[in-house]
Amino acid sequence: MVGGFRWAAMFPDEVWEHVFSFLPADADRNAAALVCRAWYRIEQRSRWRVFVGNCYAVEPAAAVRRFPEVRAAAIKGKPHFADFNLVPSDWGGGAEAWVEAMAEGWPHLEELRLKRMVVSDDCLELIARCFKNFKVLSLVSCEGFSTAGLAAIAANCRNLRELNLHENEVEDNCLHWMSHFPESFTSLVTLNIACLEGEVNVYVLERLIGRCPNLKTLRLNHSVPIQRLVGLLHRAPQLVDLGTGKFAAQHHPELFSTLESAIAGCKNLKSLSGFWEAGPTYLPAIYSVMDLIEDDGLIAVAASCKLLQELRVFPSDPYGAAQPISLTEHGLVAISAGCPMLHSVLYFCRQMTNSALLTVAKNCPNFTCFRLCIMEPHTPDYITRQPLDAGFSAIVESCKHLRRLSLSGLLTDLVFKSIGASANCLEMLSVAFAGDGDAGLHYILSGCKNLRKLEIRDCPFGDQPLLDNAAKLETMRSLWMSSCSVTLGACRQLARKMPLLNVEVINERKRGLPLELQPDNCPVEKLYIYRTVAGPRSDTPSCVWILR
Amino acid sequence: MSPPLEHDYLGLSEHPSSPATAVEERVLNLSATELRLGLPGSETTDRKDKVGLTLELLPLPKSFVSGGKRGFSDAIDGAGKWRFAAGKGGSEVDLGKGGGLFSPRGEMAGGGTGKPSGQGNAGKDAAVNAAGQEMKAVAQVGGSVGHDRAMAPAAKAQVVGWPPIRSYRKNTMATNPSKSKDDADGKQGLGCLYVKVSMDGAPYLRKVDLKMYDNYKELSSALEKMFSCFTIGPCGSHGIPNSDGLSESHLMDLLNGSEYVLTYEDKDGDWMLVGDVPWEMFTDTCRRLRIMKGSDAIGLAPRAMEKCKNWN
């Protein structure tokens, strides 16, 4: 500072803290922390919320030291393709190291959100014991724990507001875990147990939600029968978000009408999900929510749900023979035309045309997330037989705020040229069975200036684009490549050149020479590269090699 | 030594449980494993039930086993680069009309159309029509109508992790609501059949799709691959120079030594030894699998101990 004038001392620290609280993004806070030591110190002490996109990017102890006053932490583990069984089950992503470090350094932690991590019952018990003011536990796509661990949470977290279990693999060994919520416990706002496979004691559940007047979100699992739903809804008329249990039963006319009125009694209901095995008998009780849908259904949705923001359409039978196509590009086009607020789409179908995609692009320039999965790899435009390059190019050129994109169908390197050039906001790109050669990958890595996550499978991309764009990889969170044309030699070169990257080679077959002895031209099955300040991790299983 | 007549639950015996299995295992010809796109009926007879990608695997390793799960990684074994023949504008692919590309996967759930009757009544101002609604709708891609080939599920043509749908969702999707006979399990469908697999001592569960396998041997080798990491022995699995990894792995050793036994819970909730019943009956009744320590399984399966002694 010029003349040593300590201008930061013009205001008390608390004022600066208050100013920093208006900074919208962590990146802005990071920038403020670099201005001077005083700001660094003040910002450090006032950062309450931390997001760790890759649990191996930093040592837990280092994170805890860097921001000692954190109240809310979110951490992600396995790569996204773990959802589709492409990542070995023992790859890693264990939560213990983090939970132990947090228990030690963040005793005031209130919120913990973990995604794709292996969370043991021991972790849950540690959380339940160590964080006295714990309020929010959100586990998404995690595994490794059981309902016994949940019992510990229920018993000890007196101020729990949110228990969100979304799509986890949970062992059911403690039937009565919900009974561990004490009678004095009334703070619940969100309870999502949809992924639990065991029976739920509905009496206990009724009493629980009956004494939690602030409950806004309730997502039940399949074991809750439709008859009991009525009782639950009567006890929680203030619900905003409901996920039902089983939605099928023998038809009882009285049941139907009591259900209809119970749902109508929830005046604030804005979101519905669940409906396992929903039968046509009871569906009319829920207006404009559909279980099985075809083009006509989507056209109806387009006509009536003008405020629709996000749409996800999954195939009812992913492996079935294709049929007289009832769900096609027409449904997508109809939705794009009728729902101007639509910004996020996940759409599975079996056929597509460039023309449809061009129309969608024109209708919805506000897309932030566009994921199209044409079920059969390499499917071209079914009318013109052309690759779908033009269609996807139109999407990225029109949707200037697109942050997430998943490609499918027959695609050449041309589409990657468009994406690299136009997708300036793109943060996550998923590519499968696409491209002609190295050029495709090169376009992406040399363009897409905001790219954070790139995941590629079964594409003919090789070594050269990786080596030519090594520096780019340090600006990204991670790169996944499987069943491509990368060789071990390139990975070794990359690892030598870029010390801030972990280059993980995953080779699940346990035959032949160990990887250290393989030649440079040995093909790499699966490659996971991520930036890190923690160096190579110490919990790699036998099928993972971190190259140095 | 006379080979055991009863079917070894691991499928390790020389004599497979049924003649059909024997034929399957021996007929591993290249054309059967080559994957191609095309409509059913447009191919020659030996291509009947194999649909998928056109990939040229150079060369095809002899260890290429059935099961799409391992297809790609096996193909890469020492094979150098491999290329996509279909990538060049799809000219080699006979796509047929109407873009009817698919992997025939056997009989479809009897195509209940499930046309919802109460859709979007504009007159009824439902609260659900508000902003921020996320709709999860399931596309009915329909049931098989044109197929008169009652073929076994072409598990071998499946690509791992494609289409990109999570397994739990596949289970729920596979349930056809018009089939009232299905109970609350909701896991069974013609497309896939995911069951949990737990192993005593392992920190987490896995799920396997029983429809991916045609016999006990395939299932057991898949489980062995999945769980071998948990059998920590004095030496790691690196640098075990064997041409046939299967029989040398630790899990097999332990299983041979009767330390672990594969059991399953059936629809009645009873725990049974895997391998006693025909494969199809097993997949129909199996709800979950458990790799149990041999000592715990004694009450279950006295025959397991007896079998183990027979292996040597």
Side-chain angles (χ1 to χ4, degrees), chain A residues 72-133:
Chain A
I75 308 170
K76 294 188 176 182
K78 300 187 190 185
H80 174 234
F81 274 173
D83 285 357
F84 316 125
N85 298 327
L86 290 177
V87 178
S89 53
D90 55 348
W91 173 84
E96 301 78 29
W98 277 96
V99 173
E100 281 164 12
M102 292 189 288
E104 174 86 27
W106 290 337
H108 305 292
L109 191 73
E110 295 178 4
E111 303 180 13
L112 184 58
R113 295 177 168 82
L114 303 177
K115 184 167 184 180
R116 274 189 217 101
M117 297 193 76
V118 179
V119 181
S120 62
D121 282 345
D122 284 347
C123 285
L124 293 180
E125 278 157 30
L126 200 56
I127 291 168
R129 275 203 328 269
C130 295
F131 302 123
K132 298 299 174 206
N133 201 21

Coordinates of all heavy atoms in Angstrom, one line a residue, chain A residues 72-133:
Chain A
A72 N -22.2 -24.2 6.1 CA -22.9 -25.0 5.1 C -21.8 -25.5 4.1 O -21.1 -24.7 3.5 CB -24.0 -24.2 4.4
A73 N -21.8 -26.8 3.9 CA -20.8 -27.4 3.0 C -21.5 -28.3 2.0 O -22.4 -29.1 2.4 CB -19.7 -28.2 3.7
A74 N -21.1 -28.3 0.7 CA -21.6 -29.2 -0.3 C -20.4 -29.8 -1.0 O -19.5 -29.1 -1.4 CB -22.5 -28.4 -1.3
I75 N -20.4 -31.1 -1.1 CA -19.3 -31.8 -1.6 C -19.7 -32.9 -2.6 O -20.7 -33.6 -2.3 CB -18.5 -32.5 -0.5 CG1 -18.1 -31.5 0.6 CG2 -17.2 -33.2 -1.0 CD1 -17.6 -32.1 1.9
K76 N -19.0 -33.0 -3.7 CA -19.3 -34.0 -4.7 C -18.2 -35.0 -4.8 O -17.0 -34.6 -4.8 CB -19.6 -33.4 -6.0 CG -20.9 -32.5 -6.0 CD -21.2 -32.1 -7.5 CE -22.4 -31.3 -7.6 NZ -22.7 -30.9 -9.0
G77 N -18.5 -36.3 -5.1 CA -17.5 -37.3 -5.2 C -17.3 -37.9 -6.6 O -16.5 -37.4 -7.3
K78 N -18.0 -38.9 -6.9 CA -17.7 -39.7 -8.1 C -18.1 -38.9 -9.3 O -19.0 -38.1 -9.3 CB -18.5 -41.0 -8.1 CG -18.3 -41.9 -6.9 CD -19.0 -43.2 -7.1 CE -18.9 -44.1 -5.9 NZ -19.5 -45.4 -6.1
P79 N -17.4 -39.2 -10.4 CA -17.8 -38.6 -11.7 C -19.2 -39.0 -12.1 O -19.7 -40.0 -11.7 CB -16.8 -39.2 -12.7 CG -15.9 -40.2 -12.0 CD -16.3 -40.2 -10.5
H80 N -19.8 -38.1 -12.9 CA -21.2 -38.3 -13.2 C -21.5 -39.6 -13.9 O -22.6 -40.3 -13.6 CB -21.6 -37.1 -14.2 CG -23.0 -37.3 -14.7 ND1 -23.3 -37.2 -16.1 CD2 -24.2 -37.5 -14.1 CE1 -24.6 -37.4 -16.3 NE2 -25.2 -37.5 -15.1
F81 N -20.6 -40.1 -14.7 CA -20.8 -41.4 -15.4 C -20.9 -42.6 -14.4 O -21.2 -43.7 -14.9 CB -19.8 -41.6 -16.5 CG -20.1 -41.0 -17.8 CD1 -19.2 -41.0 -18.8 CD2 -21.3 -40.4 -18.0 CE1 -19.5 -40.4 -20.0 CE2 -21.6 -39.7 -19.2 CZ -20.7 -39.8 -20.2
A82 N -20.6 -42.4 -13.1 CA -20.8 -43.4 -12.2 C -22.3 -43.8 -12.1 O -22.7 -44.9 -11.8 CB -20.4 -43.0 -10.8
D83 N -23.2 -42.9 -12.4 CA -24.6 -43.1 -12.4 C -25.0 -44.2 -13.4 O -26.0 -44.8 -13.3 CB -25.4 -41.9 -12.9 CG -25.5 -40.8 -11.8 OD1 -24.9 -41.1 -10.6 OD2 -26.0 -39.7 -12.0
F84 N -24.1 -44.4 -14.4 CA -24.5 -45.4 -15.5 C -23.5 -46.6 -15.4 O -23.2 -47.2 -16.5 CB -24.5 -44.7 -16.8 CG -25.1 -43.4 -16.8 CD1 -24.5 -42.2 -17.2 CD2 -26.4 -43.2 -16.3 CE1 -25.1 -41.0 -17.2 CE2 -27.1 -42.0 -16.3 CZ -26.4 -40.9 -16.7
N85 N -23.0 -46.8 -14.3 CA -22.1 -48.0 -14.1 C -20.8 -48.0 -14.9 O -20.3 -49.1 -15.1 CB -22.9 -49.3 -14.4 CG -24.1 -49.5 -13.5 OD1 -24.1 -49.1 -12.3 ND2 -25.2 -50.0 -14.0
L86 N -20.4 -46.8 -15.2 CA -19.1 -46.8 -16.0 C -17.9 -46.6 -15.0 O -16.8 -46.8 -15.5 CB -19.1 -45.6 -17.0 CG -20.0 -45.8 -18.2 CD1 -20.0 -44.6 -19.1 CD2 -19.6 -47.0 -19.0
V87 N -18.1 -46.3 -13.8 CA -17.0 -46.1 -12.8 C -17.0 -47.3 -11.9 O -18.0 -47.8 -11.4 CB -17.3 -44.8 -12.0 CG1 -16.2 -44.7 -11.0 CG2 -17.3 -43.6 -12.9
P88 N -15.8 -47.9 -11.7 CA -15.8 -49.1 -10.8 C -16.4 -48.8 -9.4 O -16.2 -47.7 -8.9 CB -14.3 -49.4 -10.7 CG -13.6 -48.6 -11.7 CD -14.5 -47.5 -12.2
S89 N -17.0 -49.8 -8.9 CA -17.7 -49.5 -7.6 C -16.8 -49.2 -6.5 O -17.2 -48.5 -5.5 CB -18.6 -50.8 -7.3 OG -17.7 -51.9 -7.2
D90 N -15.6 -49.6 -6.6 CA -14.6 -49.2 -5.5 C -13.8 -48.0 -5.8 O -12.7 -47.8 -5.1 CB -13.8 -50.5 -5.1 CG -13.0 -51.0 -6.4 OD1 -13.4 -50.6 -7.5 OD2 -12.1 -51.8 -6.2
W91 N -14.1 -47.3 -6.8 CA -13.3 -46.2 -7.2 C -12.9 -45.2 -6.1 O -11.8 -44.7 -6.0 CB -14.0 -45.4 -8.4 CG -13.3 -44.2 -8.8 CD1 -12.3 -44.1 -9.7 CD2 -13.5 -42.8 -8.4 NE1 -11.8 -42.8 -9.9 CE2 -12.6 -42.0 -9.0 CE3 -14.4 -42.2 -7.4 CZ2 -12.5 -40.6 -8.8 CZ3 -14.3 -40.9 -7.3 CH2 -13.4 -40.1 -7.9
G92 N -13.8 -44.9 -5.3 CA -13.5 -43.9 -4.2 C -14.7 -43.1 -3.9 O -15.8 -43.5 -4.0
G93 N -14.4 -41.8 -3.5 CA -15.5 -40.9 -3.1 C -16.0 -41.1 -1.7 O -17.1 -40.8 -1.4
G94 N -15.2 -41.7 -0.9 CA -15.6 -42.0 0.5 C -15.7 -40.6 1.3 O -14.9 -39.7 1.1
A95 N -16.7 -40.6 2.2 CA -16.9 -39.3 2.9 C -16.2 -39.2 4.2 O -16.2 -38.1 4.8 CB -18.4 -39.2 3.1
E96 N -15.6 -40.3 4.7 CA -15.1 -40.3 6.0 C -14.0 -39.2 6.2 O -14.1 -38.5 7.3 CB -14.3 -41.6 6.4 CG -15.1 -42.9 6.3 CD -15.2 -43.4 4.9 OE1 -14.3 -43.1 4.1 OE2 -16.2 -44.0 4.6
A97 N -13.1 -39.1 5.3 CA -12.0 -38.1 5.5 C -12.6 -36.7 5.7 O -12.2 -35.9 6.6 CB -11.1 -38.1 4.3
W98 N -13.6 -36.4 4.9 CA -14.3 -35.1 5.0 C -15.0 -34.9 6.3 O -14.9 -33.9 7.0 CB -15.2 -34.8 3.8 CG -14.4 -34.3 2.6 CD1 -13.9 -35.1 1.6 CD2 -14.0 -33.0 2.4 NE1 -13.2 -34.3 0.7 CE2 -13.3 -33.0 1.1 CE3 -14.2 -31.8 3.0 CZ2 -12.7 -31.8 0.6 CZ3 -13.7 -30.6 2.5 CH2 -12.9 -30.6 1.3
V99 N -15.8 -35.9 6.6 CA -16.7 -35.8 7.8 C -15.8 -35.7 9.1 O -16.0 -34.9 10.0 CB -17.6 -37.0 7.9 CG1 -18.4 -37.0 9.3 CG2 -18.6 -37.0 6.8
E100 N -14.7 -36.4 9.1 CA -13.8 -36.3 10.2 C -13.1 -35.0 10.4 O -13.1 -34.4 11.4 CB -12.7 -37.4 10.2 CG -13.2 -38.8 10.6 CD -12.3 -39.9 10.1 OE1 -11.2 -39.6 9.7 OE2 -12.8 -41.1 10.2
A101 N -12.7 -34.4 9.2 CA -12.1 -33.1 9.3 C -13.1 -32.1 9.6 O -12.8 -31.1 10.4 CB -11.5 -32.8 7.9
M102 N -14.3 -32.2 9.2 CA -15.3 -31.2 9.5 C -15.7 -31.3 10.9 O -16.0 -30.3 11.6 CB -16.6 -31.4 8.6 CG -16.3 -31.1 7.1 SD -17.7 -31.1 6.1 CE -18.1 -32.8 6.0
A103 N -15.8 -32.5 11.5 CA -16.2 -32.7 12.9 C -15.2 -32.0 13.7 O -15.5 -31.4 14.8 CB -16.3 -34.2 13.2
E104 N -13.9 -32.1 13.3 CA -12.8 -31.5 14.0 C -12.8 -30.0 13.9 O -12.7 -29.2 14.9 CB -11.5 -32.0 13.4 CG -10.2 -31.5 13.9 CD -9.8 -32.2 15.2 OE1 -10.1 -33.3 15.4 OE2 -9.1 -31.5 16.0
G105 N -13.0 -29.4 12.7 CA -12.8 -28.0 12.5 C -14.0 -27.2 12.3 O -13.9 -25.9 12.4
W106 N -15.1 -27.8 12.1 CA -16.4 -27.0 11.9 C -17.5 -27.5 12.8 O -18.5 -28.0 12.3 CB -16.9 -27.1 10.4 CG -16.0 -26.4 9.4 CD1 -15.2 -25.4 9.5 CD2 -16.0 -26.8 8.0 NE1 -14.6 -25.0 8.3 CE2 -15.1 -25.9 7.4 CE3 -16.6 -27.7 7.2 CZ2 -14.8 -25.9 6.0 CZ3 -16.4 -27.7 5.8 CH2 -15.5 -26.8 5.2
P107 N -17.3 -27.4 14.1 CA -18.3 -27.9 15.0 C -19.6 -27.2 14.9 O -20.7 -27.8 15.3 CB -17.7 -27.7 16.4 CG -16.7 -26.6 16.2 CD -16.2 -26.7 14.8
H108 N -19.6 -26.0 14.3 CA -20.9 -25.3 14.1 C -21.6 -25.6 12.8 O -22.5 -24.9 12.4 CB -20.7 -23.8 14.3 CG -20.0 -23.5 15.6 ND1 -20.6 -23.6 16.8 CD2 -18.7 -23.0 15.8 CE1 -19.7 -23.3 17.7 NE2 -18.6 -22.9 17.2
L109 N -21.1 -26.6 12.1 CA -21.7 -26.9 10.8 C -23.2 -27.2 10.9 O -23.6 -27.9 11.8 CB -21.0 -28.1 10.2 CG -21.3 -28.4 8.7 CD1 -20.6 -27.3 7.8 CD2 -20.9 -29.8 8.3
E110 N -24.0 -26.6 10.0 CA -25.4 -26.7 10.1 C -25.9 -27.5 8.9 O -27.0 -28.1 9.0 CB -26.1 -25.4 10.1 CG -25.8 -24.6 11.4 CD -26.4 -23.2 11.4 OE1 -27.2 -22.9 10.5 OE2 -26.1 -22.5 12.3
E111 N -25.2 -27.4 7.8 CA -25.8 -28.0 6.5 C -24.7 -28.8 5.8 O -23.6 -28.3 5.7 CB -26.3 -26.9 5.6 CG -27.3 -26.0 6.1 CD -27.8 -25.0 5.1 OE1 -27.5 -25.1 3.9 OE2 -28.4 -24.0 5.6
L112 N -25.0 -30.0 5.5 CA -24.1 -30.9 4.7 C -24.8 -31.5 3.5 O -25.8 -32.2 3.7 CB -23.5 -31.9 5.6 CG -22.4 -32.8 5.0 CD1 -21.3 -32.0 4.5 CD2 -21.9 -33.9 5.9
R113 N -24.3 -31.3 2.4 CA -24.9 -31.8 1.1 C -23.8 -32.6 0.4 O -22.8 -32.1 0.0 CB -25.4 -30.7 0.2 CG -26.6 -29.9 0.9 CD -27.0 -28.8 0.0 NE -28.3 -28.2 0.4 CZ -28.4 -27.3 1.4 NH1 -27.3 -26.9 2.0 NH2 -29.6 -26.9 1.8
L114 N -24.1 -33.9 0.3 CA -23.1 -34.8 -0.4 C -23.8 -35.4 -1.6 O -24.9 -35.8 -1.6 CB -22.7 -35.9 0.6 CG -22.1 -35.4 1.9 CD1 -21.7 -36.6 2.8 CD2 -20.8 -34.6 1.6
K115 N -23.0 -35.5 -2.7 CA -23.5 -36.1 -3.9 C -22.5 -37.1 -4.4 O -21.3 -36.8 -4.5 CB -23.8 -35.0 -4.9 CG -24.4 -35.5 -6.2 CD -25.0 -34.4 -7.1 CE -25.7 -35.0 -8.3 NZ -26.2 -34.0 -9.2
R116 N -23.0 -38.3 -4.8 CA -22.2 -39.3 -5.3 C -21.0 -39.7 -4.4 O -19.9 -39.8 -4.9 CB -21.7 -39.0 -6.7 CG -22.7 -39.4 -7.8 CD -22.2 -39.3 -9.2 NE -23.4 -38.8 -10.0 CZ -23.5 -37.6 -10.4 NH1 -22.6 -36.7 -10.1 NH2 -24.6 -37.2 -11.0
M117 N -21.3 -39.8 -3.2 CA -20.2 -40.2 -2.3 C -20.6 -41.5 -1.5 O -21.8 -41.8 -1.5 CB -19.9 -39.1 -1.3 CG -19.4 -37.8 -2.0 SD -18.7 -36.6 -0.9 CE -17.1 -37.3 -0.6
V118 N -19.6 -42.1 -1.0 CA -19.8 -43.3 -0.2 C -19.8 -42.9 1.3 O -18.8 -42.4 1.8 CB -18.7 -44.4 -0.4 CG1 -19.0 -45.6 0.4 CG2 -18.6 -44.7 -1.9
V119 N -21.0 -43.0 1.8 CA -21.2 -42.5 3.2 C -21.6 -43.6 4.1 O -22.5 -44.4 3.8 CB -22.4 -41.5 3.2 CG1 -22.7 -40.9 4.6 CG2 -22.2 -40.4 2.2
S120 N -20.7 -43.9 5.1 CA -21.0 -45.0 6.0 C -21.9 -44.6 7.1 O -22.1 -43.4 7.4 CB -19.7 -45.6 6.5 OG -19.1 -44.6 7.3
D121 N -22.4 -45.6 7.8 CA -23.2 -45.4 9.0 C -22.3 -44.6 10.1 O -22.8 -43.8 10.8 CB -23.7 -46.7 9.6 CG -24.9 -47.2 8.8 OD1 -25.5 -46.4 8.1 OD2 -25.3 -48.3 9.0
D122 N -21.0 -45.0 10.1 CA -20.1 -44.3 11.0 C -20.1 -42.8 10.7 O -20.1 -42.0 11.6 CB -18.7 -44.8 10.9 CG -18.6 -46.2 11.6 OD1 -19.5 -46.6 12.3 OD2 -17.6 -46.9 11.3
C123 N -20.1 -42.4 9.4 CA -20.2 -41.0 9.1 C -21.4 -40.4 9.6 O -21.4 -39.3 10.2 CB -20.2 -40.8 7.6 SG -18.6 -41.1 6.8
L124 N -22.5 -41.1 9.5 CA -23.8 -40.5 9.9 C -23.8 -40.3 11.4 O -24.3 -39.4 12.0 CB -25.0 -41.4 9.4 CG -25.2 -41.4 7.9 CD1 -26.4 -42.3 7.6 CD2 -25.4 -40.0 7.4
E125 N -23.2 -41.3 12.1 CA -23.2 -41.2 13.6 C -22.3 -40.1 14.0 O -22.6 -39.3 14.9 CB -22.7 -42.5 14.2 CG -23.9 -43.5 14.3 CD -23.4 -45.0 14.3 OE1 -22.3 -45.2 14.8 OE2 -24.1 -45.9 13.8
L126 N -21.2 -39.9 13.3 CA -20.3 -38.8 13.6 C -21.0 -37.5 13.4 O -20.9 -36.5 14.2 CB -19.1 -38.9 12.7 CG -17.8 -38.2 13.2 CD1 -17.4 -38.6 14.5 CD2 -16.7 -38.4 12.2
I127 N -21.7 -37.4 12.3 CA -22.5 -36.1 12.0 C -23.5 -35.9 13.1 O -23.7 -34.8 13.7 CB -23.2 -36.2 10.7 CG1 -22.2 -36.2 9.5 CG2 -24.2 -35.1 10.5 CD1 -22.8 -36.6 8.2
A128 N -24.2 -37.0 13.5 CA -25.3 -36.8 14.5 C -24.7 -36.4 15.9 O -25.3 -35.6 16.6 CB -26.0 -38.1 14.7
R129 N -23.5 -36.8 16.2 CA -22.9 -36.5 17.5 C -22.2 -35.2 17.5 O -22.2 -34.5 18.6 CB -21.9 -37.6 17.9 CG -22.4 -38.8 18.5 CD -21.4 -39.6 19.3 NE -20.0 -39.5 18.8 CZ -19.5 -40.3 17.9 NH1 -20.2 -41.4 17.5 NH2 -18.2 -40.2 17.5
C130 N -21.5 -34.8 16.4 CA -20.5 -33.7 16.5 C -21.1 -32.3 16.2 O -20.5 -31.4 16.6 CB -19.4 -34.0 15.6 SG -18.4 -35.4 16.2
F131 N -22.2 -32.3 15.5 CA -22.6 -31.0 15.0 C -23.9 -30.6 15.8 O -25.0 -31.1 15.5 CB -22.9 -31.0 13.5 CG -21.7 -31.3 12.7 CD1 -21.7 -32.4 11.8 CD2 -20.5 -30.6 12.8 CE1 -20.6 -32.8 11.1 CE2 -19.4 -31.0 12.1 CZ -19.4 -32.0 11.2
K132 N -23.7 -29.8 16.8 CA -24.8 -29.6 17.8 C -26.0 -28.9 17.2 O -27.1 -29.0 17.6 CB -24.3 -28.8 19.0 CG -23.2 -29.5 19.7 CD -23.7 -30.8 20.3 CE -22.6 -31.6 20.9 NZ -22.8 -33.0 20.9
N133 N -25.7 -28.1 16.1 CA -26.8 -27.3 15.6 C -27.1 -27.7 14.2 O -27.5 -26.9 13.3 CB -26.4 -25.8 15.6 CG -27.6 -24.9 15.5 OD1 -28.7 -25.4 15.8 ND2 -27.5 -23.7 15.1

